[in-house]
Amino acid sequence: MIVIVILGVFLAGLIAYWILHEVIQSAIDNSTMARNIQEIRDHLVGKSPEPPQTANDEDHENCPGCGYLVHLSDKVCANCGLALRDSD
Ligand SMILES: [Zn+2]
């Protein structure tokens, strides 16, 4: 009889430990995943230290893709690489 009680306590402890382990592990996985997503997003978007500016002279315009200030002679946006006009 006492063996069953000891076995029950042991199993309960084991299950509690397992649940705790799973929770901690999933928390670690989530933070790792979040960091990876952040890195991928930084890589895709590209780090743009300059905030979007507003074109206030006739030599410049804003990129339709990202709003970056580009010169009228630019064929592609320096920030996002969008083709601004057909080269002819
Ligand atoms: Zn752009």
Side-chain angles (χ1 to χ4, degrees):
M1 186 60 194
I2 194 81
V3 175
I4 294 165
V5 172
I6 290 169
L7 202 68
V9 169
F10 175 76
L11 279 174
L14 203 69
I15 290 165
Y17 172 80
W18 178 75
I19 291 168
L20 202 70
H21 181 266
E22 286 294 307
V23 167
I24 291 168
Q25 195 62 49
S26 72
I28 291 168
D29 286 349
N30 283 343
S31 65
T32 305
M33 194 189 294
R35 197 164 56 237
N36 287 343
I37 290 168
Q38 183 69 45
E39 283 176 9
I40 291 166
R41 199 168 57 194
D42 285 349
H43 186 72
L44 287 176
V45 174
K47 292 184 178 67
S48 52
E50 295 193 35
Q53 298 159 299
T54 308
N56 54 4
D57 63 80
E58 53 196 27
D59 291 336
H60 292 85
E61 63 180 5
N62 287 104
C63 168
C66 69
Y68 189 81
L69 194 67
V70 292
H71 195 265
L72 284 176
S73 65
D74 291 340
K75 289 185 171 59
V76 293
C77 172
N79 189 48
C80 71
L82 183 78
L84 298 171
R85 59 186 61 81
D86 297 327
S87 55
D88 49 348

